[in-house]
Amino acid sequence: QLPNCTIIQQEISNLEFLESEKIDMCDLVLVCSPNDELNMMAALLAKQARAKQVGIVVSKPEYQPMAEKLGMCFTVSPRLAAANRLLS
């Protein structure tokens, strides 16, 4: 349960939609779809909509440095998260 969270389950590749959801008022926007490229584009749009912090789920390890260079506050790798869980 996430009592202080708003979860938007929507195609967020539309800047007007993000602005209408008041993304600039959010503490964090986490972009997580099964498509890394879509996640990168949606995260860039969230930044353009003045999101304070943007996190992104990326499965391809080569995208993590690129996401950081584009100003994402963090990246999450499902593969690494699963491996860490198994090893803990």
Side-chain angles (χ1 to χ4, degrees):
Q1 298 270 339
L2 302 168
N4 296 322
C5 293
T6 300
I7 297 173
I8 302 170
Q9 191 171 356
Q10 175 89 17
E11 173 69 47
I12 63 166
S13 60
N14 181 314
L15 183 59
E16 288 177 13
F17 170 74
L18 292 175
E19 290 171 342
S20 74
E21 291 296 318
K22 298 181 173 66
I23 293 294
D24 60 328
M25 302 297 289
C26 296
D27 295 323
L28 171 70
V29 173
L30 176 61
V31 181
C32 50
S33 81
N35 183 304
D36 284 352
E37 291 80 10
L38 178 61
N39 288 347
M40 295 286 277
M41 295 302 296
L44 288 172
L45 279 174
K47 288 196 64 73
Q48 187 175 350
R50 297 181 300 284
K52 294 174 188 149
Q53 295 184 54
V54 179
I56 181 173
V57 173
V58 289
S59 297
K60 297 177 184 173
E62 60 271 19
Y63 283 3
Q64 289 182 340
M66 184 185 340
E68 290 170 11
K69 285 182 183 176
L70 293 172
M72 306 309 143
C73 66
F74 66 89
T75 60
V76 176
S77 166
R79 227 177 276 161
L80 287 176
N84 287 337
R85 179 72 175 152
L86 289 172
L87 295 174
S88 65

PDB file of all heavy atoms in Angstrom, residues 39-74:
ATOM      1  N   ASN A  39      10.322   4.050 -21.839  1.00  0.00           N
ATOM      2  CA  ASN A  39      10.631   4.597 -20.518  1.00  0.00           C
ATOM      3  C   ASN A  39      11.549   5.811 -20.627  1.00  0.00           C
ATOM      4  O   ASN A  39      11.346   6.817 -19.939  1.00  0.00           O
ATOM      5  CB  ASN A  39      11.280   3.539 -19.624  1.00  0.00           C
ATOM      6  CG  ASN A  39      10.299   2.479 -19.173  1.00  0.00           C
ATOM      7  OD1 ASN A  39       9.091   2.628 -19.315  1.00  0.00           O
ATOM      8  ND2 ASN A  39      10.823   1.400 -18.633  1.00  0.00           N
ATOM      9  N   MET A  40      12.562   5.722 -21.471  1.00  0.00           N
ATOM     10  CA  MET A  40      13.481   6.853 -21.648  1.00  0.00           C
ATOM     11  C   MET A  40      12.747   8.076 -22.193  1.00  0.00           C
ATOM     12  O   MET A  40      12.920   9.183 -21.680  1.00  0.00           O
ATOM     13  CB  MET A  40      14.620   6.471 -22.600  1.00  0.00           C
ATOM     14  CG  MET A  40      15.539   5.389 -22.079  1.00  0.00           C
ATOM     15  SD  MET A  40      16.641   5.955 -20.795  1.00  0.00           S
ATOM     16  CE  MET A  40      17.915   6.673 -21.772  1.00  0.00           C
ATOM     17  N   MET A  41      11.915   7.864 -23.213  1.00  0.00           N
ATOM     18  CA  MET A  41      11.173   8.988 -23.794  1.00  0.00           C
ATOM     19  C   MET A  41      10.191   9.587 -22.784  1.00  0.00           C
ATOM     20  O   MET A  41      10.091  10.800 -22.646  1.00  0.00           O
ATOM     21  CB  MET A  41      10.432   8.543 -25.058  1.00  0.00           C
ATOM     22  CG  MET A  41      11.352   8.132 -26.192  1.00  0.00           C
ATOM     23  SD  MET A  41      12.491   9.459 -26.699  1.00  0.00           S
ATOM     24  CE  MET A  41      11.356  10.660 -27.310  1.00  0.00           C
ATOM     25  N   ALA A  42       9.473   8.738 -22.073  1.00  0.00           N
ATOM     26  CA  ALA A  42       8.508   9.222 -21.086  1.00  0.00           C
ATOM     27  C   ALA A  42       9.214   9.959 -19.955  1.00  0.00           C
ATOM     28  O   ALA A  42       8.716  10.975 -19.465  1.00  0.00           O
ATOM     29  CB  ALA A  42       7.684   8.057 -20.543  1.00  0.00           C
ATOM     30  N   ALA A  43      10.380   9.487 -19.551  1.00  0.00           N
ATOM     31  CA  ALA A  43      11.141  10.159 -18.499  1.00  0.00           C
ATOM     32  C   ALA A  43      11.605  11.540 -18.962  1.00  0.00           C
ATOM     33  O   ALA A  43      11.554  12.516 -18.200  1.00  0.00           O
ATOM     34  CB  ALA A  43      12.327   9.305 -18.080  1.00  0.00           C
ATOM     35  N   LEU A  44      12.040  11.636 -20.210  1.00  0.00           N
ATOM     36  CA  LEU A  44      12.433  12.944 -20.747  1.00  0.00           C
ATOM     37  C   LEU A  44      11.241  13.896 -20.789  1.00  0.00           C
ATOM     38  O   LEU A  44      11.369  15.082 -20.480  1.00  0.00           O
ATOM     39  CB  LEU A  44      13.058  12.788 -22.138  1.00  0.00           C
ATOM     40  CG  LEU A  44      14.448  12.173 -22.153  1.00  0.00           C
ATOM     41  CD1 LEU A  44      14.882  11.874 -23.583  1.00  0.00           C
ATOM     42  CD2 LEU A  44      15.448  13.094 -21.470  1.00  0.00           C
ATOM     43  N   LEU A  45      10.070  13.374 -21.155  1.00  0.00           N
ATOM     44  CA  LEU A  45       8.866  14.213 -21.150  1.00  0.00           C
ATOM     45  C   LEU A  45       8.518  14.654 -19.733  1.00  0.00           C
ATOM     46  O   LEU A  45       8.117  15.800 -19.515  1.00  0.00           O
ATOM     47  CB  LEU A  45       7.688  13.471 -21.769  1.00  0.00           C
ATOM     48  CG  LEU A  45       7.639  13.460 -23.284  1.00  0.00           C
ATOM     49  CD1 LEU A  45       6.501  12.559 -23.759  1.00  0.00           C
ATOM     50  CD2 LEU A  45       7.451  14.862 -23.826  1.00  0.00           C
ATOM     51  N   ALA A  46       8.663  13.762 -18.769  1.00  0.00           N
ATOM     52  CA  ALA A  46       8.388  14.124 -17.375  1.00  0.00           C
ATOM     53  C   ALA A  46       9.332  15.235 -16.925  1.00  0.00           C
ATOM     54  O   ALA A  46       8.921  16.177 -16.237  1.00  0.00           O
ATOM     55  CB  ALA A  46       8.519  12.900 -16.470  1.00  0.00           C
ATOM     56  N   LYS A  47      10.595  15.158 -17.325  1.00  0.00           N
ATOM     57  CA  LYS A  47      11.543  16.227 -16.993  1.00  0.00           C
ATOM     58  C   LYS A  47      11.140  17.524 -17.683  1.00  0.00           C
ATOM     59  O   LYS A  47      11.227  18.591 -17.085  1.00  0.00           O
ATOM     60  CB  LYS A  47      12.963  15.829 -17.367  1.00  0.00           C
ATOM     61  CG  LYS A  47      13.515  14.768 -16.420  1.00  0.00           C
ATOM     62  CD  LYS A  47      14.998  14.635 -16.499  1.00  0.00           C
ATOM     63  CE  LYS A  47      15.763  15.839 -16.075  1.00  0.00           C
ATOM     64  NZ  LYS A  47      15.814  16.143 -14.659  1.00  0.00           N
ATOM     65  N   GLN A  48      10.687  17.421 -18.927  1.00  0.00           N
ATOM     66  CA  GLN A  48      10.248  18.615 -19.650  1.00  0.00           C
ATOM     67  C   GLN A  48       9.017  19.228 -18.982  1.00  0.00           C
ATOM     68  O   GLN A  48       8.843  20.443 -19.001  1.00  0.00           O
ATOM     69  CB  GLN A  48       9.946  18.281 -21.105  1.00  0.00           C
ATOM     70  CG  GLN A  48       9.639  19.500 -21.942  1.00  0.00           C
ATOM     71  CD  GLN A  48       9.453  19.172 -23.413  1.00  0.00           C
ATOM     72  OE1 GLN A  48       9.726  18.066 -23.857  1.00  0.00           O
ATOM     73  NE2 GLN A  48       8.981  20.138 -24.165  1.00  0.00           N
ATOM     74  N   ALA A  49       8.196  18.398 -18.354  1.00  0.00           N
ATOM     75  CA  ALA A  49       7.015  18.879 -17.635  1.00  0.00           C
ATOM     76  C   ALA A  49       7.388  19.363 -16.232  1.00  0.00           C
ATOM     77  O   ALA A  49       6.526  19.599 -15.409  1.00  0.00           O
ATOM     78  CB  ALA A  49       5.956  17.781 -17.558  1.00  0.00           C
ATOM     79  N   ARG A  50       8.676  19.482 -15.969  1.00  0.00           N
ATOM     80  CA  ARG A  50       9.229  20.026 -14.731  1.00  0.00           C
ATOM     81  C   ARG A  50       9.043  19.115 -13.519  1.00  0.00           C
ATOM     82  O   ARG A  50       8.851  19.587 -12.402  1.00  0.00           O
ATOM     83  CB  ARG A  50       8.699  21.430 -14.459  1.00  0.00           C
ATOM     84  CG  ARG A  50       9.105  22.444 -15.524  1.00  0.00           C
ATOM     85  CD  ARG A  50       8.612  23.837 -15.254  1.00  0.00           C
ATOM     86  NE  ARG A  50       7.169  23.987 -15.156  1.00  0.00           N
ATOM     87  CZ  ARG A  50       6.314  24.001 -16.167  1.00  0.00           C
ATOM     88  NH1 ARG A  50       6.752  23.851 -17.378  1.00  0.00           N
ATOM     89  NH2 ARG A  50       5.034  24.162 -15.964  1.00  0.00           N
ATOM     90  N   ALA A  51       9.114  17.801 -13.724  1.00  0.00           N
ATOM     91  CA  ALA A  51       9.114  16.878 -12.590  1.00  0.00           C
ATOM     92  C   ALA A  51      10.382  17.132 -11.774  1.00  0.00           C
ATOM     93  O   ALA A  51      11.454  17.336 -12.333  1.00  0.00           O
ATOM     94  CB  ALA A  51       9.077  15.437 -13.079  1.00  0.00           C
ATOM     95  N   LYS A  52      10.249  17.134 -10.455  1.00  0.00           N
ATOM     96  CA  LYS A  52      11.396  17.419  -9.588  1.00  0.00           C
ATOM     97  C   LYS A  52      12.446  16.325  -9.679  1.00  0.00           C
ATOM     98  O   LYS A  52      13.640  16.606  -9.773  1.00  0.00           O
ATOM     99  CB  LYS A  52      10.929  17.577  -8.143  1.00  0.00           C
ATOM    100  CG  LYS A  52      10.055  18.794  -7.948  1.00  0.00           C
ATOM    101  CD  LYS A  52       9.493  18.827  -6.538  1.00  0.00           C
ATOM    102  CE  LYS A  52       8.473  19.955  -6.451  1.00  0.00           C
ATOM    103  NZ  LYS A  52       7.413  19.667  -5.518  1.00  0.00           N
ATOM    104  N   GLN A  53      12.014  15.077  -9.592  1.00  0.00           N
ATOM    105  CA  GLN A  53      12.911  13.935  -9.698  1.00  0.00           C
ATOM    106  C   GLN A  53      12.255  12.885 -10.580  1.00  0.00           C
ATOM    107  O   GLN A  53      11.049  12.677 -10.496  1.00  0.00           O
ATOM    108  CB  GLN A  53      13.175  13.319  -8.326  1.00  0.00           C
ATOM    109  CG  GLN A  53      13.911  14.230  -7.370  1.00  0.00           C
ATOM    110  CD  GLN A  53      14.219  13.502  -6.077  1.00  0.00           C
ATOM    111  OE1 GLN A  53      14.822  12.428  -6.092  1.00  0.00           O
ATOM    112  NE2 GLN A  53      13.799  14.082  -4.973  1.00  0.00           N
ATOM    113  N   VAL A  54      13.075  12.233 -11.385  1.00  0.00           N
ATOM    114  CA  VAL A  54      12.562  11.196 -12.268  1.00  0.00           C
ATOM    115  C   VAL A  54      13.428   9.953 -12.113  1.00  0.00           C
ATOM    116  O   VAL A  54      14.650  10.022 -12.212  1.00  0.00           O
ATOM    117  CB  VAL A  54      12.563  11.648 -13.747  1.00  0.00           C
ATOM    118  CG1 VAL A  54      12.048  10.540 -14.657  1.00  0.00           C
ATOM    119  CG2 VAL A  54      11.737  12.909 -13.921  1.00  0.00           C
ATOM    120  N   GLY A  55      12.774   8.829 -11.854  1.00  0.00           N
ATOM    121  CA  GLY A  55      13.433   7.530 -11.827  1.00  0.00           C
ATOM    122  C   GLY A  55      12.920   6.713 -12.990  1.00  0.00           C
ATOM    123  O   GLY A  55      11.814   6.936 -13.482  1.00  0.00           O
ATOM    124  N   ILE A  56      13.729   5.773 -13.433  1.00  0.00           N
ATOM    125  CA  ILE A  56      13.365   5.028 -14.632  1.00  0.00           C
ATOM    126  C   ILE A  56      13.770   3.561 -14.482  1.00  0.00           C
ATOM    127  O   ILE A  56      14.824   3.259 -13.927  1.00  0.00           O
ATOM    128  CB  ILE A  56      14.032   5.660 -15.878  1.00  0.00           C
ATOM    129  CG1 ILE A  56      13.658   4.941 -17.158  1.00  0.00           C
ATOM    130  CG2 ILE A  56      15.512   5.772 -15.707  1.00  0.00           C
ATOM    131  CD1 ILE A  56      14.149   5.630 -18.414  1.00  0.00           C
ATOM    132  N   VAL A  57      12.906   2.671 -14.955  1.00  0.00           N
ATOM    133  CA  VAL A  57      13.211   1.247 -15.002  1.00  0.00           C
ATOM    134  C   VAL A  57      13.824   0.957 -16.364  1.00  0.00           C
ATOM    135  O   VAL A  57      13.231   1.294 -17.395  1.00  0.00           O
ATOM    136  CB  VAL A  57      11.939   0.400 -14.777  1.00  0.00           C
ATOM    137  CG1 VAL A  57      12.230  -1.078 -14.990  1.00  0.00           C
ATOM    138  CG2 VAL A  57      11.375   0.648 -13.390  1.00  0.00           C
ATOM    139  N   VAL A  58      15.036   0.388 -16.354  1.00  0.00           N
ATOM    140  CA  VAL A  58      15.699   0.001 -17.599  1.00  0.00           C
ATOM    141  C   VAL A  58      16.281  -1.400 -17.441  1.00  0.00           C
ATOM    142  O   VAL A  58      16.946  -1.699 -16.459  1.00  0.00           O
ATOM    143  CB  VAL A  58      16.808   0.993 -18.031  1.00  0.00           C
ATOM    144  CG1 VAL A  58      16.231   2.291 -18.509  1.00  0.00           C
ATOM    145  CG2 VAL A  58      17.806   1.236 -16.935  1.00  0.00           C
ATOM    146  N   SER A  59      16.002  -2.259 -18.398  1.00  0.00           N
ATOM    147  CA  SER A  59      16.511  -3.627 -18.380  1.00  0.00           C
ATOM    148  C   SER A  59      17.863  -3.740 -19.060  1.00  0.00           C
ATOM    149  O   SER A  59      18.680  -4.578 -18.690  1.00  0.00           O
ATOM    150  CB  SER A  59      15.525  -4.565 -19.061  1.00  0.00           C
ATOM    151  OG  SER A  59      14.306  -4.587 -18.356  1.00  0.00           O
ATOM    152  N   LYS A  60      18.096  -2.902 -20.053  1.00  0.00           N
ATOM    153  CA  LYS A  60      19.355  -2.952 -20.799  1.00  0.00           C
ATOM    154  C   LYS A  60      20.425  -2.181 -20.032  1.00  0.00           C
ATOM    155  O   LYS A  60      20.307  -0.967 -19.851  1.00  0.00           O
ATOM    156  CB  LYS A  60      19.177  -2.357 -22.192  1.00  0.00           C
ATOM    157  CG  LYS A  60      18.198  -3.130 -23.047  1.00  0.00           C
ATOM    158  CD  LYS A  60      17.990  -2.464 -24.383  1.00  0.00           C
ATOM    159  CE  LYS A  60      16.939  -3.219 -25.178  1.00  0.00           C
ATOM    160  NZ  LYS A  60      16.584  -2.531 -26.419  1.00  0.00           N
ATOM    161  N   PRO A  61      21.476  -2.862 -19.577  1.00  0.00           N
ATOM    162  CA  PRO A  61      22.509  -2.191 -18.775  1.00  0.00           C
ATOM    163  C   PRO A  61      23.156  -0.997 -19.480  1.00  0.00           C
ATOM    164  O   PRO A  61      23.541  -0.027 -18.833  1.00  0.00           O
ATOM    165  CB  PRO A  61      23.545  -3.288 -18.518  1.00  0.00           C
ATOM    166  CG  PRO A  61      22.885  -4.573 -18.832  1.00  0.00           C
ATOM    167  CD  PRO A  61      21.752  -4.274 -19.767  1.00  0.00           C
ATOM    168  N   GLU A  62      23.234  -1.047 -20.798  1.00  0.00           N
ATOM    169  CA  GLU A  62      23.876   0.056 -21.526  1.00  0.00           C
ATOM    170  C   GLU A  62      23.060   1.350 -21.469  1.00  0.00           C
ATOM    171  O   GLU A  62      23.572   2.424 -21.755  1.00  0.00           O
ATOM    172  CB  GLU A  62      24.173  -0.333 -22.979  1.00  0.00           C
ATOM    173  CG  GLU A  62      22.966  -0.700 -23.812  1.00  0.00           C
ATOM    174  CD  GLU A  62      22.582  -2.176 -23.770  1.00  0.00           C
ATOM    175  OE1 GLU A  62      23.002  -2.899 -22.853  1.00  0.00           O
ATOM    176  OE2 GLU A  62      21.849  -2.595 -24.674  1.00  0.00           O
ATOM    177  N   TYR A  63      21.795   1.272 -21.097  1.00  0.00           N
ATOM    178  CA  TYR A  63      20.964   2.467 -20.994  1.00  0.00           C
ATOM    179  C   TYR A  63      21.125   3.190 -19.657  1.00  0.00           C
ATOM    180  O   TYR A  63      20.782   4.360 -19.535  1.00  0.00           O
ATOM    181  CB  TYR A  63      19.491   2.122 -21.172  1.00  0.00           C
ATOM    182  CG  TYR A  63      19.067   1.864 -22.600  1.00  0.00           C
ATOM    183  CD1 TYR A  63      19.967   1.889 -23.646  1.00  0.00           C
ATOM    184  CD2 TYR A  63      17.748   1.604 -22.905  1.00  0.00           C
ATOM    185  CE1 TYR A  63      19.571   1.652 -24.951  1.00  0.00           C
ATOM    186  CE2 TYR A  63      17.335   1.365 -24.212  1.00  0.00           C
ATOM    187  CZ  TYR A  63      18.259   1.396 -25.219  1.00  0.00           C
ATOM    188  OH  TYR A  63      17.853   1.168 -26.502  1.00  0.00           O
ATOM    189  N   GLN A  64      21.649   2.517 -18.642  1.00  0.00           N
ATOM    190  CA  GLN A  64      21.756   3.139 -17.325  1.00  0.00           C
ATOM    191  C   GLN A  64      22.645   4.379 -17.326  1.00  0.00           C
ATOM    192  O   GLN A  64      22.231   5.422 -16.825  1.00  0.00           O
ATOM    193  CB  GLN A  64      22.198   2.121 -16.285  1.00  0.00           C
ATOM    194  CG  GLN A  64      21.083   1.134 -15.997  1.00  0.00           C
ATOM    195  CD  GLN A  64      21.445   0.118 -14.938  1.00  0.00           C
ATOM    196  OE1 GLN A  64      22.610  -0.109 -14.671  1.00  0.00           O
ATOM    197  NE2 GLN A  64      20.441  -0.480 -14.354  1.00  0.00           N
ATOM    198  N   PRO A  65      23.860   4.329 -17.901  1.00  0.00           N
ATOM    199  CA  PRO A  65      24.676   5.545 -17.924  1.00  0.00           C
ATOM    200  C   PRO A  65      24.026   6.667 -18.731  1.00  0.00           C
ATOM    201  O   PRO A  65      24.111   7.837 -18.360  1.00  0.00           O
ATOM    202  CB  PRO A  65      25.991   5.100 -18.582  1.00  0.00           C
ATOM    203  CG  PRO A  65      26.008   3.620 -18.492  1.00  0.00           C
ATOM    204  CD  PRO A  65      24.585   3.175 -18.436  1.00  0.00           C
ATOM    205  N   MET A  66      23.347   6.314 -19.819  1.00  0.00           N
ATOM    206  CA  MET A  66      22.674   7.324 -20.636  1.00  0.00           C
ATOM    207  C   MET A  66      21.563   8.003 -19.838  1.00  0.00           C
ATOM    208  O   MET A  66      21.418   9.219 -19.872  1.00  0.00           O
ATOM    209  CB  MET A  66      22.087   6.683 -21.898  1.00  0.00           C
ATOM    210  CG  MET A  66      21.467   7.675 -22.846  1.00  0.00           C
ATOM    211  SD  MET A  66      20.627   6.976 -24.312  1.00  0.00           S
ATOM    212  CE  MET A  66      21.259   5.358 -24.515  1.00  0.00           C
ATOM    213  N   ALA A  67      20.794   7.218 -19.084  1.00  0.00           N
ATOM    214  CA  ALA A  67      19.709   7.779 -18.276  1.00  0.00           C
ATOM    215  C   ALA A  67      20.264   8.737 -17.235  1.00  0.00           C
ATOM    216  O   ALA A  67      19.701   9.816 -17.007  1.00  0.00           O
ATOM    217  CB  ALA A  67      18.917   6.656 -17.614  1.00  0.00           C
ATOM    218  N   GLU A  68      21.373   8.380 -16.615  1.00  0.00           N
ATOM    219  CA  GLU A  68      21.986   9.257 -15.618  1.00  0.00           C
ATOM    220  C   GLU A  68      22.479  10.549 -16.258  1.00  0.00           C
ATOM    221  O   GLU A  68      22.313  11.620 -15.699  1.00  0.00           O
ATOM    222  CB  GLU A  68      23.103   8.517 -14.899  1.00  0.00           C
ATOM    223  CG  GLU A  68      22.561   7.414 -13.994  1.00  0.00           C
ATOM    224  CD  GLU A  68      23.635   6.500 -13.433  1.00  0.00           C
ATOM    225  OE1 GLU A  68      24.843   6.825 -13.569  1.00  0.00           O
ATOM    226  OE2 GLU A  68      23.259   5.464 -12.859  1.00  0.00           O
ATOM    227  N   LYS A  69      23.070  10.451 -17.456  1.00  0.00           N
ATOM    228  CA  LYS A  69      23.543  11.648 -18.161  1.00  0.00           C
ATOM    229  C   LYS A  69      22.381  12.557 -18.552  1.00  0.00           C
ATOM    230  O   LYS A  69      22.541  13.762 -18.663  1.00  0.00           O
ATOM    231  CB  LYS A  69      24.345  11.266 -19.405  1.00  0.00           C
ATOM    232  CG  LYS A  69      25.719  10.751 -19.079  1.00  0.00           C
ATOM    233  CD  LYS A  69      26.495  10.420 -20.335  1.00  0.00           C
ATOM    234  CE  LYS A  69      27.840   9.832 -19.971  1.00  0.00           C
ATOM    235  NZ  LYS A  69      28.601   9.415 -21.149  1.00  0.00           N
ATOM    236  N   LEU A  70      21.206  11.964 -18.774  1.00  0.00           N
ATOM    237  CA  LEU A  70      20.022  12.756 -19.136  1.00  0.00           C
ATOM    238  C   LEU A  70      19.338  13.358 -17.920  1.00  0.00           C
ATOM    239  O   LEU A  70      18.311  14.011 -18.040  1.00  0.00           O
ATOM    240  CB  LEU A  70      19.042  11.894 -19.936  1.00  0.00           C
ATOM    241  CG  LEU A  70      19.534  11.476 -21.321  1.00  0.00           C
ATOM    242  CD1 LEU A  70      18.577  10.459 -21.938  1.00  0.00           C
ATOM    243  CD2 LEU A  70      19.666  12.696 -22.226  1.00  0.00           C
ATOM    244  N   GLY A  71      19.888  13.112 -16.728  1.00  0.00           N
ATOM    245  CA  GLY A  71      19.376  13.762 -15.530  1.00  0.00           C
ATOM    246  C   GLY A  71      18.374  12.965 -14.721  1.00  0.00           C
ATOM    247  O   GLY A  71      17.708  13.522 -13.848  1.00  0.00           O
ATOM    248  N   MET A  72      18.267  11.668 -14.979  1.00  0.00           N
ATOM    249  CA  MET A  72      17.379  10.849 -14.153  1.00  0.00           C
ATOM    250  C   MET A  72      18.037  10.673 -12.789  1.00  0.00           C
ATOM    251  O   MET A  72      19.235  10.454 -12.697  1.00  0.00           O
ATOM    252  CB  MET A  72      17.134   9.480 -14.784  1.00  0.00           C
ATOM    253  CG  MET A  72      16.626   9.509 -16.223  1.00  0.00           C
ATOM    254  SD  MET A  72      15.220  10.583 -16.459  1.00  0.00           S
ATOM    255  CE  MET A  72      15.573  11.254 -18.058  1.00  0.00           C
ATOM    256  N   CYS A  73      17.254  10.778 -11.718  1.00  0.00           N
ATOM    257  CA  CYS A  73      17.860  10.702 -10.388  1.00  0.00           C
ATOM    258  C   CYS A  73      18.280   9.292 -10.035  1.00  0.00           C
ATOM    259  O   CYS A  73      19.189   9.100  -9.230  1.00  0.00           O
ATOM    260  CB  CYS A  73      16.941  11.310  -9.336  1.00  0.00           C
ATOM    261  SG  CYS A  73      15.407  10.428  -9.063  1.00  0.00           S
ATOM    262  N   PHE A  74      17.655   8.289 -10.622  1.00  0.00           N
ATOM    263  CA  PHE A  74      18.100   6.911 -10.422  1.00  0.00           C
ATOM    264  C   PHE A  74      17.526   6.030 -11.509  1.00  0.00           C
ATOM    265  O   PHE A  74      16.573   6.378 -12.184  1.00  0.00           O
ATOM    266  CB  PHE A  74      17.722   6.377  -9.032  1.00  0.00           C
ATOM    267  CG  PHE A  74      16.244   6.236  -8.808  1.00  0.00           C
ATOM    268  CD1 PHE A  74      15.572   5.066  -9.140  1.00  0.00           C
ATOM    269  CD2 PHE A  74      15.516   7.276  -8.259  1.00  0.00           C
ATOM    270  CE1 PHE A  74      14.210   4.945  -8.925  1.00  0.00           C
ATOM    271  CE2 PHE A  74      14.154   7.156  -8.032  1.00  0.00           C
ATOM    272  CZ  PHE A  74      13.504   5.990  -8.373  1.00  0.00           C
TER     273      PHE A  74
END
